[in-house]
Amino acid sequence: MAGYRAGGEDEYDYLFKLVLIGDSGVGKSNLLSRFTKNEFNLESKSTIGVEFATRSLDIDGKIIKAQIWDTAGQERYRAITSAYYRGAVGALLVYDVTRRSTFENVIRWLKELRDHTDPNIVVMLIGNKSDLRHLLAVSTEDGKELAERESLYFMETSALEATNVANAFSEVLSHIHMIVSRKAVEAADEVATASSVPSVGETINIRDDASTWKKFGCCSSS
Ligand SMILES: Nc1nc2c(ncn2[C@@H]2O[C@H](COP(=O)(O)OP(=O)(O)OP(=O)(O)O)[C@@H](O)[C@H]2O)c(=O)[nH]1
Ligand SMILES: [Mg+2]
C-alpha cells in the first residue's frame, strides 16, 4: 500500500491487492480481462495456476492501482491458497446467475476467504452473466439477501456486455480507499492528542531528571 509518485509512467498513491474467487466457469477471468483490457473471450480456458493484471483508477483525487489476482475455481488447478490470499484488501466473490450450484458454493468460498484474510477485507458478491436472462437460475433478490446476511456488497454483472464490471471493481476500490483514509485520519488524531492535552486518568511523567530538583537545592542526587 505504498505511495509512489517518483515520476515515470507507473505513478500511484495506493496499491491494493484484490482477489477473484468463485467456482470454475463463473467468469472470473473474463471479468478481469474486461476490466483491465476491455476484452472478452467466449471460449476462454480454465485458468491454470495464478494470473494477475493491474489497472489504475482515479478515486477521490487519488490514483489507486489495483493488482487483481485470478486463479482457477477448480480444485485441481488451484494455486497454494494462503499465498493467493496474502495481503488482499478486497475480494470479488463471483457466482454464475445461470447455475444455482455456483451460488450455493458461495458460503464455502466465503469461509475460505475469511480463514485466510484480515476481517476488514472488502468483499463484493457478484452475480455474473446477467445477459443470459432467459437462463436465470438465481434471482437478484436471492443474491441481495445472501449479501445482506453475510455483510457483503452486491452487484450483478455481465463480462460479455460490459455491464457493471468497472462499477463493481471501482466500488470495491473506493470502499477500501475510504477505510484506509479513515485509518490515516485516526492515526493523525492519535498523534495530535498524544502531543497535547493529557486524557483523564493518564499518568503524567514529570521527568525523573534529578537536575531539575537540584536547581532548587532539593533532595540528594545519590
Ligand atoms: N454469456 C456470458 N458468458 C460469460 C460471461 N462471463 C464469462 N462467460 C463465459 O463463461 C465461460 C467461463 O468464463 P471464465 O472467465 O473462463 O471463467 P472462470 O471463472 O475464470 O473459470 P476458471 O478459470 O475455470 O475458474 C467462458 O466461456 C466465458 O466466455 C458473461 O458475462 N456472459
Ligand atoms: Mg479463469
Side-chain angles (χ1 to χ4, degrees), residues 95-151:
Y95 65 90
D96 175 345
V97 295
T98 71
R99 278 193 297 143
R100 188 85 199 170
S101 60
T102 66
F103 180 68
E104 277 152 12
N105 283 335
V106 162
I107 293 295
R108 204 175 305 163
W109 285 107
L110 202 53
K111 184 176 181 327
E112 184 179 284
L113 181 75
R114 302 266 189 236
D115 285 348
H116 289 89
T117 54
D118 185 276
N120 289 319
I121 188 168
V122 173
V123 186
M124 180 173 279
L125 180 65
I126 303 248
N128 187 43
K129 309 197 186 179
S130 63
D131 54 285
L132 300 173
R133 290 164 204 93
H134 52 297
L135 296 173
L136 200 71
V138 185
S139 69
T140 306
E141 276 316 305
D142 283 357
K144 264 191 200 159
E145 204 177 284
L146 176 61
E148 269 167 33
R149 202 174 336 126
E150 298 294 336
S151 307

Side-chain angles (χ1 to χ4, degrees), residues 24-25 27-30 41-42 44 46-47 73 128-129 131 159-160:
S24 183
K28 300 180 295 295
S29 300
N30 276 283
N41 182 358
L42 253 182
S44 64
S46 212
T47 306
N128 187 43
K129 309 197 186 179
D131 54 285
L160 185 148

Side-chain angles (χ1 to χ4, degrees), residues 16-184:
F16 294 147
K17 174 179 171 179
L18 308 183
V19 289
L20 283 159
I21 51 170
D23 280 5
S24 183
V26 296
K28 300 180 295 295
S29 300
N30 276 283
L31 286 166
L32 180 61
S33 62
R34 176 60 83 192
F35 181 60
T36 56
K37 297 183 281 191
N38 202 19
E39 283 175 13
F40 179 82
N41 182 358
L42 253 182
E43 281 132 39
S44 64
K45 298 225 165 57
S46 212
T47 306
I48 296 174
V50 176
E51 291 174 0
F52 76 85
T54 62
R55 179 173 161 187
S56 295
L57 289 184
D58 187 315
I59 294 175
D60 299 331
K62 298 281 181 205
I63 303 170
I64 311 280
K65 181 172 178 175
Q67 183 188 71
I68 308 150
W69 293 46
D70 176 29
T71 188
Q74 225 173 323
E75 200 65 45
R76 67 191 161 114
Y77 289 138
R78 300 197 58 213
I80 309 148
T81 309
S82 51
Y84 187 68
Y85 288 111
R86 191 170 304 132
V89 289
L92 282 83
L93 203 179
V94 188
Y95 65 90
D96 175 345
V97 295
T98 71
R99 278 193 297 143
R100 188 85 199 170
S101 60
T102 66
F103 180 68
E104 277 152 12
N105 283 335
V106 162
I107 293 295
R108 204 175 305 163
W109 285 107
L110 202 53
K111 184 176 181 327
E112 184 179 284
L113 181 75
R114 302 266 189 236
D115 285 348
H116 289 89
T117 54
D118 185 276
N120 289 319
I121 188 168
V122 173
V123 186
M124 180 173 279
L125 180 65
I126 303 248
N128 187 43
K129 309 197 186 179
S130 63
D131 54 285
L132 300 173
R133 290 164 204 93
H134 52 297
L135 296 173
L136 200 71
V138 185
S139 69
T140 306
E141 276 316 305
D142 283 357
K144 264 191 200 159
E145 204 177 284
L146 176 61
E148 269 167 33
R149 202 174 336 126
E150 298 294 336
S151 307
L152 315 172
Y153 296 100
F154 173 68
M155 216 173 263
E156 284 181 329
T157 59
S158 166
L160 185 148
E161 291 180 340
T163 312
N164 269 346
V165 178
N167 281 348
F169 282 100
S170 65
E171 205 176 306
V172 168
L173 293 167
S174 104
H175 284 298
I176 298 166
H177 180 234
M178 248 177 338
I179 293 172
V180 169
S181 351
R182 204 184 307 139
K183 277 193 182 148

